[in-house]
Amino acid sequence: MRQNEMFLLKLGEVVLKGQNRRSFEDRLVANTARRLKSCGSFQVYIRQSTIYAEPTTDTCDMEAAYAAARQVFGVVSVARAVPCEKTVESIVETARDYLADAFASAKSFKVESKRADKNYPLNSIQLSQAVGGELAEAFPHVAVDVHSPDLTVHVEIREKHAYVHAPAVPGAGGLPVGMGGHAISLLSGGLDSPVSSWMMARRGVELEMVHFVSPPYTSQQAQDKVLELAHLLTAYCGRLRVHIVPFTEIQEQIRKNCPEEYFTLIMRRFMMRLSQAIARRAGAKALITGESLGQVASQTMMALGVTDDVTEMPVLRPLIGMDKVEIIRLSREIGTYDTSILPYEDCCTVFTPRHPATRPKVEDVCAAEAKLDVDGLMARSLEGEEWIWVKP
């Protein structure tokens, strides 16, 4: 790494905000600084819709910081760059030095310039021509190709410095975590719920997780698997609190007293009641689930209506219109797939009915549920609740 190498983080839809844009920018800067803290000492600030992250010591882990910056929601692209004086000579010298390896492997190049400082005497085209001409002489084996070059040299003229960098890489996009409210996400060990959690965090939602355990029907490995999924999500969300809720007694009472075709529906109703109670204590305003319409019997339109019957909070279902192929693709992209497919069963697979109801009526399910001491079961479950902080 060059001693003065740093990062330029470009904002996405945050720039479209109106009078409250400043609050989005402040949150994004704070989130970025927090995420880079484990990689070393960085000065993080914002100018002209770009976040600058400058290492303040030689001991910063630039590779780790580069990866972390790409996972900050609200950042649309990240570039490793080197600042220099705003003269053609300095820009050419910096590009020749900093991008020497890139030029060595390229057969063609072009220069793209952006003049954020409108007082700069050269316009973008003039600057690109001047810098490109000098670089063509410095690297005579690399042809100039303005249409489809192997290498694009980016030059940005900003307030204090010029910045030279190769093409930026995509960031996580979305909105800064914390600007979309606070919600409780029901996290199982499957493919769907980590993806749905990630999708809502990408919309700026601050998350807490709820996971239901049913020992001895579910194992410690199943719980550890869920905590690992939460840990993988912290790369995007920051630290997460995971509420571990005992569910054995509830499931056993459902099996003992309720018709088999309603087992899953009544179980889901208890999960929603318990999650809502935890959300209210935590100050959260919504619940998040990984349900996709029609994927299984408990996710038909009528079944979802039965589940929602016991909730007063909004239930956010970002996967509702997605198919399994799309969900698997996303889980691979965000890095949760390999953990999700580990063969440890969660409580959703305990006492699965052979012929579940797909067109249930709320009144029928309520009648079946009336045999249970709902309040007592919930109170005992909440008494046994534990929570664990999971950090990046």
Side-chain angles (χ1 to χ4, degrees):
M1 152 187 122
R2 286 180 59 113
Q3 187 172 356
N4 57 344
E5 185 182 45
M6 43 85 70
F7 302 116
L8 299 177
L9 286 65
K10 301 302 177 69
L11 279 58
E13 60 185 289
V14 169
V15 301
L16 303 177
K17 299 300 177 183
Q19 294 181 348
N20 61 345
R21 173 175 167 175
R22 179 64 180 272
S23 62
F24 280 82
E25 292 179 340
D26 290 346
R27 178 59 66 94
L28 184 52
V29 169
N31 289 353
T32 302
R34 189 179 305 113
R35 298 292 299 284
L36 296 183
K37 188 175 181 180
S38 63
C39 305
S41 176
F42 285 84
Q43 181 184 11
V44 181
Y45 57 95
I46 189 168
R47 297 282 189 279
Q48 295 176 306
S49 301
T50 298
I51 291 178
Y52 299 73
E54 301 176 355
T56 60
T57 68
D58 294 338
T59 59
C60 291
D61 186 340
M62 296 296 284
E63 295 300 328
Y66 187 46
R70 295 182 63 185
Q71 294 176 311
V72 176
F73 288 130
V75 173
V76 72
S77 68
V78 181
R80 301 175 80 143
V82 170
C84 62
E85 294 181 7
K86 295 192 291 187
T87 65
V88 172
E89 294 78 9
S90 181
I91 292 168
V92 170
E93 180 183 357
T94 300
R96 191 172 56 208
D97 181 17
Y98 183 55
L99 300 177
D101 291 343
F103 271 103
S105 60
K107 294 181 179 180
S108 60
F109 85 101
K110 72 173 181 177
V111 176
E112 284 192 0
S113 300
K114 178 180 179 180
R115 189 183 61 154
D117 177 4
K118 300 306 179 184
N119 294 320
Y120 192 71
L122 300 179
N123 63 33
S124 297
I125 295 175
Q126 292 169 335
L127 180 60
S128 294
Q129 290 173 337
V131 173
E134 295 284 347
L135 290 176
E137 292 185 10
F139 300 99
H141 67 285
V142 186
V144 175
D145 182 350
V146 298
H147 299 294
S148 55
D150 294 335
L151 170 65
T152 299
V153 177
H154 291 265
V155 178
E156 300 190 30
I157 304 296
R158 294 187 170 272
E159 289 178 316
K160 295 182 179 180
H161 303 287
Y163 295 86
V164 176
H165 62 87
V169 296
L175 295 172
V177 170
M179 298 305 297
H182 183 189
I184 294 289
S185 184
L186 282 69
L187 184 64
S188 70
L191 287 160
D192 302 336
S193 57
V195 175
S196 65
S197 300
W198 179 87
M199 290 181 69
M200 293 314 305
R202 192 170 185 265
R203 300 312 303 158
V205 176
E206 181 181 357
L207 301 179
E208 291 189 38
M209 306 301 198
V210 171
H211 178 63
F212 299 93
V213 294
S214 294
Y217 307 106
T218 59
S219 64
Q220 182 61 43
Q221 289 97 324
Q223 179 176 318
D224 293 342
K225 171 184 171 180
V226 167
L227 293 176
E228 175 59 20
L229 288 171
H231 178 256
L232 293 170
L233 290 171
T234 62
Y236 299 94
C237 308
R239 71 173 188 166
L240 292 170
R241 183 161 64 168
V242 182
H243 301 260
I244 307 296
V245 181
F247 208 60
T248 306
E249 183 187 8
I250 291 173
Q251 289 193 285
E252 289 179 337
Q253 287 299 309
I254 293 172
R255 181 179 64 167
K256 181 179 178 180
N257 294 286
C258 301
E260 182 181 352
E261 65 267 26
Y262 296 146
F263 280 1
T264 302
L265 285 170
I266 296 174
M267 176 194 74
R268 293 291 298 173
R269 285 162 64 90
F270 270 96
M271 287 181 171
M272 300 300 277
R273 289 186 181 102
L274 291 165
S275 298
Q276 181 171 257
I278 291 169
R280 285 173 171 161
R281 288 193 323 216
K285 304 302 182 184
L287 305 179
I288 300 168
T289 74
E291 291 155 319
S292 171
L293 188 64
Q295 184 174 169
V296 294
S298 63
Q299 296 176 22
T300 64
M301 195 172 294
M302 293 181 70
L304 293 175
V306 169
T307 302
D308 285 357
D309 177 60
V310 299
T311 62
E312 297 174 359
M313 288 184 172
V315 180
L316 308 178
R317 295 183 170 96
L319 308 186
I320 196 68
M322 296 176 67
D323 62 31
K324 206 65 177 182
V325 173
E326 294 172 299
I327 295 167
I328 289 172
R329 177 184 58 80
L330 261 179
S331 71
R332 290 184 186 276
E333 289 180 6
I334 68 177
T336 58
Y337 177 81
D338 289 339
T339 301
S340 290
I341 63 173
L342 292 174
Y344 303 122
E345 303 289 354
D346 58 42
C347 67
C348 294
T349 60
V350 175
F351 310 143
T352 302
R354 290 166 294 180
H355 303 289
T358 58
R359 299 177 63 83
K361 296 180 179 179
V362 172
E363 55 269 25
D364 293 340
V365 178
C366 289
E369 197 178 65
K371 299 177 182 179
L372 302 173
D373 177 13
V374 173
D375 293 338
L377 288 169
M378 281 191 57
R380 289 190 292 276
S381 183
L382 290 171
E383 285 174 4
E385 175 202 351
E386 300 177 349
W387 50 266
I388 299 171
W389 279 109
V390 180
K391 298 180 181 180

